[in-house]
Amino acid sequence: MGRDRFVRQSLGALYSRIKQARILMVGAGGIGCELLKNLVLTGFGEIHIVDLDTIDLSNLNRQFLFRQEHIKKSKALVAKESAAKFNPHIKLEAYHANIKDPQFNIEWFQGFKIVFNALDNLDARRHVNKMCLAADVPLIESGTTGFNGQVQVIVKGKTECYDCNTKETPKTFPVCTIRSTPSQSIHCIVWAKSYLFTEMFGTSDDEAPEFDHSEDTENAKEIENLRKESQALNSIRQSMGSVDFARKVFEKVYKDDIDRLRSMEDMWKTRQPPAPLNFDGLSKAAEGISPSIAQQDQTTWTEAENFAVFCDSLKRLSSRLQKAQAQDAEAAAPSVLTFDKDDDDTLDFVAACANLRSIIFGIERRSKFDIKQMAGNIIPAIATTNAMTAGLCVLQAFKVMREDITKAKMVFLERSGARVINSDTLKPPNPNCSVCGVMQSRLIVDPSRATLNDLVEDVLKTQLGYGDEFSINNDVGTLYDPDLDDNLSKSFVDLGVKTDSFLTVIDDEEENPRVNLSLSISEKSLPGDTKPVQVPGKLHIARKPKEVPAPTANGASNGHAEITGTKRKRSLEEDSQREPKRGKIQMNFNTDGFLINDVVIADDQNDGAIVIDDD
Amino acid sequence: MENSTQPVSEAPVTNGTTLPTTNGAVSMGNGAVDVPAQDFTQSPGNYRYEPQLQAQSQTKTLAEPISADEIALYDRQIRLWGVKAQEKLRTANVLLINMRALANEIAKNLVLAGIGSLTVLDSSIVVEDDLGAQFCVSEEEIGKNRAEAAASQIRRLNPRVALQVDTEDIQFKQPDFYAPFDMVIATDLDIATLSTINASCRLCNRPFYASGTHGFYGYIFADLIQHDYVIEREKSNRPTALAPETFTRSIVATSTKKENGKVIEMVTKREIYSPMVLANTSPLPAEQTNSRRRKLQVPPLLSCLRALWEFYTISGNMPSHSHPDLALFTSLATEKHQELLLPAETLRSDFLRSFLQNIGSEIAPITAFLGGQLAQDVINVLGQREQPIQNFLLFDGEEFKGPVYALHPIFPDMDSILEPPIAAPVAGAEMPMPMPMPV
Ligand SMILES: [Zn+2]
């Protein structure tokens, strides 16, 4: 009987381990308040809370540990005080501090059984991800936007880490990036949605908000070329419904325009030039591919499959537009179609067109599911989603505590009407991930006498067998490579390489290079008869896997709440019961546009990504 | 189990006086004890609730337009569901019955969101076990009425919400007690009590939710009788047909408006519901049982919940770990599983064991999840936007599963949707008639 009666009843033997567990929660905002309540009630013995923020009025509608009288106070400290009342037997420790502060070093992270990320920004998430990998502590990562929420478990060496996937952030793009020099899949998606789709089925004078014209004057000539391209496309539009309509469109945007771009040699000095596609070749390759491939939204379609979806969706959209135009012949305004991510005809077209363009520019293709997310909007945080997501975080923690990582899942909230939750098995680490696809080790350094040369000669070349082609880097930049040996005689102290900072060794051998080696510095006074720089234990550094495309780097961390498109997966098991998507509920509809706190809240433009600085 | 989830088995608190509460609301109480579930008609008429109380608090909020302060406070959610839905929310009057951990979560979420008025009803007292997952009560409140105890915490979450406390046993409530509420939510109760509340709600045409948890497992049931909601979307050139979309849902109206140069279509959809007493004996939708693969996906939790309700109806308590109880429960679960046309192998013994182990328990992550889900559905329904739960959500927190099934006494194939309804086969069960429209 008593306070822990029901946790004992439901958790059995696990409860005694939970009572002894020392855990860390980073972030005491929307998810954090809910999570802390759950953790305290569940009986985790010792909980540490870190948050840099102070409480704001607009937090109070969901961060229920805070009240009017707490405004401007530390979130971490108030959360601790409020949550302590839920269970006086729990030890709580709060830090009103930045998780990136040096006091929160690897050793400190190693003191926790589990770390929970309840953060609202990419930068801090990536930092905690890195620290948990270095400390080898399981991380439960969560995020919400609007009605969507997701929870992921990250265990070093066993699962994907937070950075195994590219993170996309909404923003505007220079016109030339979209129209001439795309380098990421989002560029191709914006091109397909806001340029090609609009030119083919919309009103071409509709300007897409993604387009940033600030650099236009610098590219006046190219802008003029692009205008001509649009005009030519518009004349092709007049032949909609004709037998060779698909060929005309295809050859215009995937061959002629690409040939023209390719001929501008200046553009491709530092970039891979685009390679045009061949309509006849693809027609042949796509023979026998059923248009129903478009329903497989989890898989990344092949070139031929994308071609098949392109032709099929073009046909569907053309006949819709023509039917509408026939019906509305008397209407004053001409009929148009608009992109709607919940309208499968339009989404199929955009997905296929974006992927075909990606192929041309050597960019990775995306699943329709991912493209839908990336073409959609970012929406703000609410109490109920945070509550559900925080509940799922604790359920995931149970799996981790039972050391049954195979039962932990990638979990998503879903609002299809058929279910409220969906899950996917955790994926193995991406071998090319620049964060977890690395060898990690401590490097013990005697600050009184260690020089960079000691690391290069004694440790890397002699002990670990590196050849001549490698570089040593840190946050600041490159410290050493074969052409940069000025620093070799400098001490670690002079180079500013301090305890708890990281050095990354990148092997540049052409044959069979090693994976990156990440060294975390520990300063220690070493006996005079031993080497001043040492690696503890024996290291076996794996070699990089061959020719797997690396995830594109994305430095655009902007401190905004976000959920990534790449991570949203749905299990295939119950797909067939989902209702047709056409005309489904739009979950991000604001009825009016209005202005609060100097932030413009747009109405639901399917393309107007809104970013809200949250928590 | 000596401390079941079912207040019916417990003596209601006797509290014969009407207590003023801090915000001027009134506590309901009475001195009657031990009236069986179906016997509420014997409850004397002078315990009748006075609906004027709610009506007054509602007219007050209705009169005042939403203030700039409120817009700042509710900023994030208004960005999500719009100011019109927020206006509807702030005039809504909700009844929440039985204040265990799940209801604590629901209350928190509704109050944070800014509903107009909330009445929390519970006649039992706080015991030490309650401290485990009920964050609204603390050690000092052991022995106090559970609704009263929770109310003091809930009130602090959002002083703008008018909070009422009712300490009378729900068994004594007359059907018209429910009339002043825009929404009735009953948690952690037995099927007979839930069915009675549901029937009363139908009499006064009030939407009803039932929800409960047993440790890692839980459910939400919705009987919104007939619910219309509006989906807004950019008008496409394909005309929207006024026609059924599923067996329970149809498009009943469309209109358009212009916004920032775009034509927005507002599509009114209507969902039709069945009462819990019928849903509880209804088959799974045909599309769920027409293939073996889909049958295998149906969690055995549905059979177990039905078995548990029947067990309670038969024996008046929850199954203990005694051999006869386990044998009865297992045979009931097997029977329900067969009735649902589900394959025997999905009613695994390890699941049965786990379910039995969890009966009566409440743990924070599960109540947080379901309380969040239910509150969100209520918010959407009050705001008349978004597809609501239709009509039975199962939640398995061990497996991370949360399917929603439309359980209705009649469920023809989609092909025959415009034909007269044909009864779906239910093994060994009589076929109830479709529920008539409410008065
Ligand atoms: Zn990684």
Side-chain angles (χ1 to χ4, degrees):
Chain A
M1 289 298 266
R3 177 186 291 280
D4 56 2
R5 173 187 165 178
F6 293 132
V7 272
R8 278 179 195 284
Q9 180 186 334
S10 287
L11 297 179
L14 178 62
Y15 177 59
S16 62
R17 270 185 281 157
I18 283 175
K19 241 166 60 172
Q20 279 155 28
R22 195 168 178 273
I23 57 172
L24 168 64
M25 185 179 94
V26 190
I31 300 176
C33 282
E34 291 287 336
L35 181 57
L36 185 58
K37 170 207 66 193
N38 296 342
L39 293 170
V40 165
L41 290 171
T42 306
F44 284 86
E46 183 174 334
I47 306 168
H48 292 236
I49 308 144
V50 181
D51 197 313
L52 179 64
D53 257 6
T54 53
I55 296 155
D56 181 77
L57 172 67
S58 71
N59 299 149
L60 302 186
N61 79 321
R62 64 194 182 285
Q63 300 177 19
F64 81 109
L65 300 178
F66 312 142
R67 289 189 285 275
Q68 198 81 30
E69 64 266 30
H70 297 135
I71 287 173
K72 298 224 157 49
K73 291 186 176 169
S74 153
K75 284 189 176 179
L77 301 176
V78 175
K80 175 196 155 168
E81 265 169 52
S82 301
K85 293 172 193 140
F86 301 151
N87 187 346
H89 308 300
I90 305 299
K91 187 172 175 215
L92 292 167
E93 199 79 59
Y95 310 79
H96 181 207
N98 188 335
I99 191 62
K100 294 177 85 172
D101 289 349
Q103 56 169 317
F104 307 122
N105 58 21
I106 293 173
E107 219 173 341
W108 185 78
F109 271 86
Q110 280 168 337
F112 299 105
K113 181 88 186 157
I114 300 182
V115 174
F116 293 84
N117 256 358
L119 286 161
D120 59 0
N121 71 84
L122 200 59
D123 188 48
R125 280 190 166 115
R126 297 176 106 165
H127 176 80
V128 176
N129 176 55
K130 206 161 110 186
M131 296 304 280
C132 286
L133 290 167
D136 198 7
V137 177
L139 170 64
I140 294 174
E141 162 63 46
S142 53
T144 71
T145 45
F147 294 125
N148 299 317
Q150 66 173 50
V151 183
Q152 172 186 10
V153 175
I154 295 167
V155 178
K156 183 188 172 181
K158 292 184 180 160
T159 72
E160 278 186 327
C161 85
Y162 186 69
D163 269 326
C164 278
N165 281 300
T166 315
K167 304 289 182 277
E168 246 70 37
T169 46
K171 56 173 186 172
T172 60
F173 303 94
V175 176
C176 287
T177 302
I178 300 302
R179 296 282 300 276
S180 307
T181 55
S183 59
Q184 297 173 19
S185 29
I186 186 70
H187 299 153
C188 297
I189 294 167
V190 169
W191 174 84
K193 183 182 86 166
S194 302
Y195 167 67
L196 184 59
F197 181 89
T198 311
E199 291 290 345
M200 296 312 304
F201 305 107
T203 43
S204 55
D205 51 3
D206 262 1
E207 181 61 279
E210 286 97 329
F211 289 156
D212 175 359
H213 289 278
S214 58
E215 288 172 37
D216 283 2
T217 46
E218 294 166 44
N219 299 291
K221 190 164 161 258
E222 178 59 8
I223 298 289
E224 176 56 23
N225 280 328
L226 295 177
R227 207 179 54 78
K228 282 183 193 152
E229 269 186 23
S230 299
Q231 282 171 350
L233 194 56
N234 211 271
S235 71
I236 290 179
R237 180 172 170 167
Q238 306 312 315
S239 67
M240 188 177 291
S242 67
V243 186
D244 56 351
F245 181 56
R247 175 192 288 273
K248 278 185 182 164
V249 175
F250 187 94
E251 296 200 329
K252 168 81 179 71
V253 298
Y254 294 131
K255 184 174 166 291
D256 301 347
D257 289 351
I258 301 302
D259 283 338
R260 187 190 67 78
L261 273 178
R262 204 185 154 92
S263 70
M264 303 174 67
E265 286 172 13
D266 280 356
M267 235 178 222
W268 313 110
K269 274 182 179 155
T270 57
R271 301 181 180 98
Q272 184 195 327
L277 299 178
N278 180 309
F279 185 86
D280 292 312
L282 275 172
S283 296
K284 216 166 177 139
E287 266 171 22
I289 295 175
S290 159
S292 67
I293 184 74
Q295 286 156 29
Q296 292 183 26
D297 59 356
Q298 298 287 307
T299 55
T300 309
W301 303 329
T302 63
E303 191 175 338
E305 285 168 340
N306 276 298
F307 180 83
V309 176
F310 163 82
C311 293
D312 186 58
S313 59
L314 185 71
K315 206 187 293 169
R316 280 182 274 154
L317 290 167
S318 301
S319 81
R320 262 173 70 178
L321 183 58
Q322 289 186 307
K323 232 177 254 167
Q325 281 168 340
Q327 278 171 4
D328 293 0
E330 298 91 336
S335 296
V336 292
L337 301 176
T338 40
F339 173 76
D340 174 355
K341 62 189 184 310
D342 295 313
D343 176 340
D344 265 347
D345 296 345
T346 65
L347 181 62
D348 289 347
F349 180 79
V350 165
C353 290
N355 280 333
L356 289 170
R357 187 166 170 89
S358 291
I359 291 164
I360 286 170
F361 286 90
I363 299 165
E364 65 172 317
R365 284 163 290 133
R366 299 288 190 146
S367 70
K368 175 176 157 187
F369 192 78
D370 285 348
I371 288 171
K372 178 174 178 172
Q373 182 75 15
M374 290 163 78
N377 275 342
I378 296 285
I379 34 187
I382 54 168
T384 48
T385 309
N386 287 337
M388 285 184 265
T389 303
L392 294 173
C393 289
V394 180
L395 295 176
Q396 297 267 30
F398 293 158
K399 306 294 184 198
V400 173
M401 295 285 292
R402 283 188 175 126
E403 277 156 31
D404 198 356
I405 198 69
T406 55
K407 291 215 174 115
K409 295 266 168 67
M410 180 76 117
V411 185
F412 308 96
L413 302 182
E414 186 179 308
R415 297 174 351 98
S416 66
R419 69 190 77 82
V420 297
I421 192 170
N422 215 322
S423 61
D424 200 353
T425 49
L426 293 168
K427 296 201 167 45
N430 174 356
N432 282 305
C433 174
S434 62
V435 176
C436 72
V438 299
M439 180 72 198
Q440 280 159 335
S441 172
R442 279 208 305 158
L443 187 72
I444 299 165
V445 171
D446 187 336
S448 68
R449 56 198 176 98
T451 63
L452 192 61
N453 193 54
D454 294 323
L455 172 61
V456 170
E457 292 300 328
D458 293 346
V459 175
L460 295 174
K461 289 189 178 170
T462 308
Q463 192 184 334
L464 299 175
Y466 276 77
D468 290 326
E469 296 292 324
F470 63 88
S471 64
I472 303 174
N473 309 273
N474 71 359
D475 293 354
V476 184
T478 302
L479 299 176
Y480 167 83
D481 67 34
D483 303 320
L484 175 71
D485 51 10
D486 317 355
N487 291 329
L488 282 176
S489 58
K490 291 186 186 161
S491 71
F492 277 66
V493 177
D494 289 343
L495 289 166
V497 178
K498 297 199 186 92
T499 202
D500 292 321
S501 68
F502 289 89
L503 292 179
T504 305
V505 182
I506 300 171
D507 190 356
D508 292 321
E509 289 296 338
E510 277 182 28
E511 291 272 305
N512 216 8
R514 293 165 181 81
V515 299
N516 295 357
L517 172 64
S518 173
L519 297 166
S520 65
I521 310 296
S522 290
E523 290 178 353
K524 199 173 169 185
S525 169
L526 296 166
D529 57 346
T530 61
K531 306 270 187 201
V533 178
Q534 299 176 7
V535 173
K538 239 181 139 53
L539 283 189
H540 293 284
I541 306 171
R543 305 288 169 157
K544 279 181 187 161
K546 279 173 196 157
E547 283 312 299
V548 185
T552 43
N554 183 344
S557 59
N558 60 357
H560 292 309
E562 53 97 47
I563 277 198
T564 66
T566 50
K567 298 212 151 188
R568 320 209 85 244
K569 291 276 181 268
R570 181 167 12 79
S571 62
L572 290 162
E573 54 183 21
E574 289 165 272
D575 262 3
S576 45
Q577 23 165 303
R578 290 188 306 135
E579 53 186 295
K581 279 290 189 248
R582 166 90 195 124
K584 258 203 82 179
I585 307 161
Q586 292 186 25
M587 52 197 192
N588 52 349
F589 217 96
N590 282 306
T591 46
D592 303 290
F594 52 91
L595 193 85
I596 305 171
N597 296 343
D598 302 317
V599 180
V600 179
I601 298 127
D603 62 332
D604 182 56
Q605 325 232 349
N606 286 304
D607 38 23
I610 307 163
V611 182
I612 286 149
D613 217 347
D614 213 344
D615 292 349
Chain B
M1 286 178 98
E2 63 291 306
N3 188 328
S4 77
T5 56
Q6 317 298 347
V8 245
S9 66
E10 295 165 5
V13 184
T14 60
N15 181 354
T17 50
T18 300
L19 299 169
T21 58
T22 46
N23 73 344
V26 175
S27 294
M28 295 294 130
N30 79 44
V33 286
D34 273 339
V35 178
Q38 284 85 354
D39 217 357
F40 64 91
T41 48
Q42 291 177 6
S43 172
N46 58 344
Y47 295 124
R48 279 196 176 191
Y49 191 79
E50 296 301 323
Q52 290 87 339
L53 284 174
Q54 265 79 12
Q56 278 164 8
S57 75
Q58 243 194 312
T59 45
K60 188 177 120 262
T61 43
L62 269 172
E64 299 160 11
I66 194 158
S67 68
D69 267 10
E70 281 173 274
I71 289 181
L73 173 65
Y74 302 126
D75 175 272
R76 296 302 192 271
Q77 68 200 43
I78 290 173
R79 289 171 198 253
L80 186 59
W81 55 61
V83 80
K84 278 182 203 147
Q86 189 66 36
E87 291 273 10
K88 286 179 186 163
L89 205 55
R90 73 198 282 275
T91 55
N93 183 16
V94 176
L95 172 65
L96 181 56
I97 301 164
N98 206 23
M99 295 303 293
R100 294 189 82 220
L102 177 59
N104 280 203
E105 291 283 349
I106 296 165
K108 174 200 73 194
N109 296 332
L110 292 178
V111 164
L112 287 175
I115 59 162
S117 166
L118 178 71
T119 300
V120 293
L121 183 150
D122 199 322
S123 61
S124 49
I125 56 161
V126 178
V127 296
E128 207 187 339
D129 293 351
D130 291 334
L131 304 180
Q134 298 172 29
F135 61 90
C136 291
V137 297
S138 57
E139 215 146 337
E140 308 84 74
E141 286 158 323
I142 291 175
K144 288 190 189 162
N145 171 271
R146 212 152 57 180
E148 295 275 11
S152 65
Q153 282 301 317
I154 296 165
R155 190 168 288 121
R156 269 178 236 171
L157 293 174
N158 189 351
R160 291 168 196 274
V161 176
L163 189 69
Q164 339 273 339
V165 176
D166 189 331
T167 60
E168 191 182 62
D169 193 323
I170 191 65
Q171 314 288 343
F172 305 135
K173 299 299 186 187
Q174 299 293 316
D176 63 359
F177 164 72
Y178 301 94
F181 300 103
D182 300 304
M183 175 76 70
V184 175
I185 307 162
T187 64
D188 293 317
L189 289 166
D190 65 293
I191 190 83
T193 311
L194 291 172
S195 301
T196 306
I197 299 168
N198 191 180
S200 299
C201 288
R202 279 217 162 223
L203 280 174
C204 42
N205 198 20
R206 291 294 178 263
F208 167 79
Y209 280 91
S211 184
T213 71
H214 293 283
F216 276 95
Y217 308 103
Y219 75 94
I220 297 173
F221 166 79
D223 177 11
L224 309 181
I225 306 172
Q226 172 182 305
H227 175 63
D228 290 1
Y229 60 102
V230 179
I231 299 297
E232 298 193 13
R233 60 189 184 204
E234 250 179 73
K235 188 166 170 52
S236 112
N237 302 100
R238 181 190 276 179
T240 303
L242 301 188
E245 291 191 312
T246 69
F247 180 59
T248 57
R249 182 177 68 235
S250 38
I251 295 177
V252 294
T254 61
S255 60
T256 54
K257 63 176 176 184
K258 274 218 151 177
E259 230 175 56
N260 299 338
K262 285 182 175 157
V263 183
I264 304 295
E265 183 178 39
M266 288 165 292
V267 181
T268 305
K269 298 189 176 191
R270 174 170 298 165
E271 281 280 9
I272 303 291
Y273 285 81
S274 295
M276 194 168 192
V277 68
L278 295 186
N280 192 40
T281 54
S282 295
L284 283 160
E287 79 240 17
Q288 201 58 50
T289 49
N290 64 8
S291 92
R292 187 175 152 74
R293 195 181 66 83
R294 296 216 184 116
K295 284 185 190 181
L296 288 171
Q297 289 164 4
V298 178
L301 179 56
L302 179 56
S303 314
C304 285
L305 281 171
R306 286 185 172 185
L308 185 65
W309 282 322
E310 183 147 338
F311 187 101
Y312 190 85
T313 305
I314 294 169
S315 66
N317 51 41
M318 293 296 193
S320 71
H321 290 175
S322 75
H323 184 73
D325 274 13
L326 294 181
L328 174 59
F329 179 81
T330 307
S331 80
L332 286 171
T334 309
E335 186 185 304
K336 301 295 172 193
H337 208 64
Q338 280 168 354
E339 270 176 21
L340 288 162
L341 307 177
L342 294 175
E345 69 258 38
T346 58
L347 192 65
R348 305 180 316 269
S349 62
D350 60 333
F351 181 84
L352 277 170
R353 216 172 307 135
S354 174
F355 182 81
L356 286 160
Q357 178 67 35
N358 277 285
I359 288 174
S361 167
E362 53 180 12
I363 55 173
I366 302 293
T367 55
F369 184 89
L370 273 183
Q373 182 67 53
L374 198 155
Q376 189 56 60
D377 221 51
V378 167
I379 289 165
N380 288 341
V381 166
L382 290 171
Q384 290 189 278
R385 56 193 307 288
E386 307 285 334
Q387 165 76 44
I389 292 172
Q390 170 66 279
N391 59 4
F392 203 93
L393 160 67
L394 295 164
F395 182 59
D396 180 337
E398 285 277 22
E399 299 289 331
F400 299 114
K401 286 218 179 331
V404 179
Y405 299 118
L407 301 177
H408 295 275
I410 287 169
F411 215 101
D413 291 339
M414 282 298 291
D415 305 340
S416 57
I417 198 150
L418 298 176
E419 307 289 318
I422 303 156
V426 177
E430 73 284 83
M431 181 51 57
M433 293 304 290
M435 194 57 190
M437 278 290 96
V439 277

